[in-house]
Amino acid sequence: MEPTKPQSLSFQFDRISGELTATFTPAEGVQVPNLVMLKQAVADGGYTKLYIDEATLNDFAAKAAAAKEAHTQKIGERRDGEFVIEVANDFMAAYLTLVPPQGGRAKAVEVINEVRALGITHGILHEKLRGALSAGHCAKLLIAQGDDAIQGDKARFESLLDQKEEELAEIDDDAVVSYADLGHLLLINVGDPLMRRIPTVPGINGINIKGQPVLAKPVQELTFNKDCVGTEVDEQDPDLLLAAIAGQPSLITNGVRINPIVEIEDLDLSTGNLDFSGTVKIKGDVKTGMRLHVTGDVFVHGTVEAAEIHAGGNVFVKGGIIGHSEAQPGVTTAIAARIKSEGSVQALFAESALIEAGESIMIAGNARQCEMLAGNEIIVGKGNPKLGQIIGGRAQATMLIKATGLGSSSGNTTKVQVGLDPYLEEKLRVKEQEFQKKLNDLDRTIKQIAHYKQNPEKGKNGVAEEAEYTRKILAQEVKDLVAEQAEMKEDLVAAESARIVATKMVYEGVEMRIARQVWQVLSDLGGGTAQLQGGKISFGGKDGGK
């Protein structure tokens, strides 16, 4: 087969319109060009930079094969480059898509003009833009990027107590700080660093691609907590908090509180009784007959024997409370150890003890022959389901008494009461005693005044007048006490939500009181909850009801 003759297939490029046309003139012995031959002819003619439509070439080849005479058809054209610039909604970025020219003109100048027209003045990535324009093509290329605002950081507060705790751990393995895991009691001295304030880092405004500011969020200024106690700011470094007193530190938000503390081995005859404005830590025991009065917390690593402890804070006893004195005739509960706390009392176990707490009493094991009074709740057997019986004695709390078991199989008389504030009743008893004393004093003073009237010579030199003045004062005090007692009696209101909970067993002989209602348990019962329903005590649980 002979090759296609040049005159049989020819191309014509119109420089004005930019169109490329092909003409095929059929002749005898001339091969009809196929798609491959057409593409090769276009390349040989130097038209590859133009836009050549392959579908049009196919069409041309088909028509040329059927042509009886010369066939001319447009197969390509000159095309200029195209571009699109996309700007992000927040004006923080711009992207360029660039389509290269095909025999036509590139749009580099138009791209630059469009960048300006869009107001893009900041963050232009010139090297990337130049590279793309030089290459003639790109797809969603980032060509401008704004500067994000750098958000500031609030002041941070770093505790400096960790190192102190590590030091303490090395020298004191028996420190006490909590009930379940007493851990180490941290003590600090005057001048010790407590907390470091890392100052506020203000934010830095950004700039969008239009040169407009992007504002950083304002940062709240934080200083050391105003509720810091026993601390002071270093005069040379306003971001350093120091200890102003020796004691026990506790972290609070953005600060530290220091509770003054004293530490001793045992409270015994070698130390004498102790009255202290602060917190006391006892590594050993509180021995029989000793008295400890503090305004803060009491931590006892050992045991409390037949001693007396009064605390303005909480009392933690790791080794238990053991009273040793014998029960007196006619008294069902032998009270040997006396614990009184304005906060909570926590102990491993308790026996023959009077325990009073303004908030809660929590005993891990059993409470045997104890009198317990709590302003909120009593929980016996905390975290230990195998123990936790209240055996004998009396337990009184305002809202909740919870134990594994109440009473014992030996029939110990065990009294539990909720629904009344035990301290309010105690205060009322104190007021009644005070009232009776004042009333007796007033009666004696009135009799004394009557005696002076019958014997004027004994009331001379202002003695009678002084007695009358005393009578007026006592009369007013008696009147005030009557009013106080009336007001306190109004506060003795039963708590409908108060509960007595025994998770496993209630034995015969237990006496339950909720507010003014009383229920004597006459036979052993399973676990359940006692509470007021319709003004009466209702007990419901696994095995029993009332």
Side-chain angles (χ1 to χ4, degrees):
M1 182 180 293
E2 297 179 2
T4 304
K5 296 180 180 179
Q7 64 271 24
S8 298
L9 177 64
S10 62
F11 299 100
Q12 180 67 39
F13 177 68
D14 188 334
R15 295 185 179 278
I16 296 175
S17 67
E19 294 182 350
L20 176 67
T21 57
T23 300
F24 175 72
T25 303
E28 185 178 351
V30 175
Q31 182 180 0
V32 177
N34 57 27
L35 182 61
V36 174
M37 295 170 62
L38 285 173
K39 288 184 177 181
Q40 184 62 47
V42 168
D44 293 343
Y47 301 115
T48 54
K49 291 186 177 181
L50 299 176
Y51 171 72
I52 306 298
D53 186 0
E54 187 167 321
T56 302
L57 284 179
N58 272 320
D59 184 61
F60 177 81
K63 289 179 179 179
K68 302 298 183 181
E69 56 185 26
H71 172 68
T72 300
Q73 184 176 340
K74 175 186 173 182
I75 62 170
E77 63 183 358
R78 179 181 61 213
R79 288 187 176 183
D80 293 338
E82 296 180 3
F83 71 93
V84 175
I85 297 178
E86 300 175 64
V87 177
N89 292 334
D90 59 2
F91 303 114
M92 291 300 290
Y95 303 89
L96 172 65
T97 296
L98 192 61
V99 178
Q102 292 179 288
R105 186 174 60 83
K107 295 289 185 73
V109 174
E110 286 82 354
V111 170
I112 298 301
N113 290 338
E114 182 66 9
V115 168
R116 292 171 181 168
L118 291 172
I120 301 174
T121 60
H122 178 78
I124 299 174
L125 305 175
H126 293 284
E127 289 189 9
K128 285 190 175 183
L129 181 57
R130 281 195 297 268
L133 295 178
S134 177
H137 62 87
C138 64
K140 270 204 159 184
L141 176 69
L142 180 67
I143 61 169
Q145 186 170 30
D147 299 330
D148 289 325
I150 300 175
Q151 304 304 329
D153 293 323
K154 292 191 294 186
R156 294 182 293 110
F157 296 83
E158 295 183 352
S159 171
L160 303 178
L161 300 176
D162 294 344
Q163 183 177 357
K164 192 73 176 178
E165 287 178 335
E166 291 174 1
E167 294 174 359
L168 187 61
E170 294 177 359
I171 61 174
D172 183 3
D173 293 330
D174 297 325
V176 180
V177 291
S178 67
Y179 174 74
D181 183 10
L182 301 180
H184 292 278
L185 182 64
L186 177 62
L187 301 176
I188 51 89
N189 297 313
V190 175
D192 282 350
L194 305 173
M195 180 169 285
R196 165 69 65 180
R197 177 181 178 271
I198 309 301
T200 301
V201 177
I204 300 174
N205 292 339
I207 304 175
N208 66 23
I209 61 176
K210 290 193 171 188
Q212 301 165 333
V214 179
L215 301 181
K217 294 180 181 179
V219 180
Q220 179 185 2
E221 187 66 39
L222 298 176
T223 59
F224 287 114
N225 197 319
K226 64 179 181 179
D227 292 330
C228 290
V229 176
T231 65
E232 61 185 5
V233 176
D234 189 345
E235 293 182 358
Q236 305 300 321
D237 185 352
D239 292 317
L240 181 62
L241 192 67
L242 303 176
I245 59 175
Q248 177 191 5
S250 59
L251 291 175
I252 60 175
T253 302
N254 303 343
V256 178
R257 286 178 179 165
I258 298 177
N259 191 12
I261 189 168
V262 64
E263 179 178 327
I264 57 178
E265 293 296 329
D266 291 305
L267 187 65
D268 54 20
L269 293 177
S270 66
T271 63
N273 296 325
L274 183 61
D275 291 314
F276 180 63
S277 296
T279 292
V280 171
K281 173 194 171 186
I282 300 171
K283 291 184 176 181
D285 304 323
V286 179
K287 300 296 186 180
T288 298
M290 304 308 298
R291 186 181 72 246
L292 173 64
H293 288 193
V294 299
T295 59
D297 298 331
V298 174
F299 299 89
V300 182
H301 186 73
T303 59
V304 175
E305 298 177 0
E308 177 182 310
I309 296 176
H310 285 193
N314 303 308
V315 176
F316 302 92
V317 183
K318 185 177 181 181
I321 303 169
I322 309 173
H324 297 297
S325 63
E326 298 293 333
Q328 301 299 317
V331 179
T332 57
T333 304
I335 300 300
R338 296 177 178 269
I339 312 293
K340 185 171 184 179
S341 166
E342 298 299 324
S344 297
V345 175
Q346 299 181 7
L348 182 62
F349 61 87
E351 182 175 335
S352 298
L354 169 62
I355 305 174
E356 300 180 61
E359 292 295 330
S360 304
I361 297 174
M362 286 168 280
I363 307 296
N366 295 331
R368 186 183 300 273
Q369 294 298 338
C370 294
E371 290 204 18
M372 299 182 289
L373 291 85
N376 183 29
E377 63 182 8
I378 296 173
I379 298 177
V380 178
K382 180 182 179 185
N384 193 339
K386 295 183 180 180
L387 298 173
Q389 287 185 262
I390 299 177
I391 303 171
R394 178 168 61 105
Q396 240 182 305
T398 304
M399 297 306 300
L400 172 67
I401 294 177
K402 183 176 181 180
T404 304
L406 300 176
S408 68
S409 57
S410 60
N412 296 76
T413 300
T414 305
K415 297 182 179 182
V416 289
Q417 175 179 320
V418 295
L420 295 174
D421 183 347
Y423 289 103
L424 192 57
E425 287 193 314
E426 177 63 25
K427 291 174 184 176
L428 184 57
R429 284 194 292 270
V430 171
K431 286 295 180 184
E432 288 173 348
Q433 293 173 359
E434 185 179 353
F435 169 75
Q436 191 59 51
K437 180 178 182 302
K438 294 290 184 182
L439 200 61
N440 293 338
D441 291 344
L442 178 61
D443 182 59
R444 284 194 298 271
T445 302
I446 291 173
K447 289 179 180 179
Q448 191 175 32
I449 292 172
H451 177 70
Y452 291 152
K453 287 181 178 180
Q454 293 176 359
N455 303 276
E457 69 282 358
K458 294 186 177 181
K460 292 180 179 180
N461 300 322
V463 174
E465 289 80 358
E466 183 177 348
E468 178 60 24
Y469 178 72
T470 301
R471 184 197 66 78
K472 290 180 180 180
I473 292 177
L474 288 171
Q476 184 60 47
E477 289 178 345
V478 168
K479 182 179 179 181
D480 292 342
L481 284 170
V482 170
E484 288 180 27
Q485 289 181 77
E487 183 178 351
M488 293 171 71
K489 287 178 180 179
E490 290 179 0
D491 291 336
L492 288 172
V493 180
E496 293 293 332
S497 59
R499 295 175 296 142
I500 298 171
V501 179
T503 59
K504 287 190 176 181
M505 195 71 181
V506 179
Y507 291 93
E508 176 185 352
V510 171
E511 177 186 282
M512 294 190 187
R513 289 177 177 261
I514 303 181
R516 300 301 184 187
Q517 299 298 311
V518 182
W519 175 36
Q520 298 284 348
V521 179
L522 302 179
S523 61
D524 293 350
L525 301 172
T529 298
Q531 56 190 344
L532 285 182
Q533 289 187 355
K536 299 294 183 180
I537 295 177
S538 171
F539 182 80
K542 296 180 296 184
D543 301 315
K546 175 180 181 292

